[in-house]
Amino acid sequence: MRFLIKIILLPVVMILSLMKLLLDGATRVYCLFSGVAINLLIICAVLAIITGQWLDLGVFAVLFVGIIVVLFSAGTITVVLDNLKEKIKEV
């Protein structure tokens, strides 16, 4: 009976593994581009502080927070997928 359940759950485990693999690859690529974007945002923020453009500084802060939220949520999704896969393997 347990063997039959494991065979039935195999496609689910494979799909979760594929999703984790794709998310890991996308996170690595995103980190490369977000590093450049964060550097540009910091340069623009410093220039906005120097010239006193406070509204632009707020826009840059919102963009920075958005980048961090996307990275945090991708990490959280990766951990949830990993935990789901491990729980299904234990069955």
Side-chain angles (χ1 to χ4, degrees):
M1 185 68 178
R2 286 183 59 88
F3 184 71
L4 184 61
I5 292 174
K6 287 190 181 236
I7 289 177
I8 291 172
L9 290 177
L10 182 65
V12 175
V13 172
M14 291 177 63
I15 289 171
L16 288 175
S17 298
L18 182 64
M19 287 173 61
K20 185 180 181 305
L21 180 69
L22 290 174
L23 189 62
D24 282 342
T27 303
R28 289 179 192 268
V29 171
Y30 180 76
C31 284
L32 290 173
F33 290 115
S34 69
V36 173
I38 287 173
N39 285 334
L40 289 174
L41 283 174
I42 290 172
I43 291 169
C44 291
V46 169
L47 288 174
I49 289 171
I50 291 171
T51 59
Q53 298 173 349
W54 304 112
L55 185 61
D56 293 339
L57 182 62
V59 170
F60 296 140
V62 169
L63 288 173
F64 180 75
V65 168
I67 290 172
I68 299 301
V69 165
V70 169
L71 283 174
F72 180 75
S73 61
T76 304
I77 291 170
T78 302
V79 169
V80 167
L81 287 176
D82 232 2
N83 289 341
L84 273 172
K85 187 175 71 170
E86 290 301 319
K87 283 183 181 179
I88 289 175
K89 279 185 178 179
E90 289 175 0
V91 169

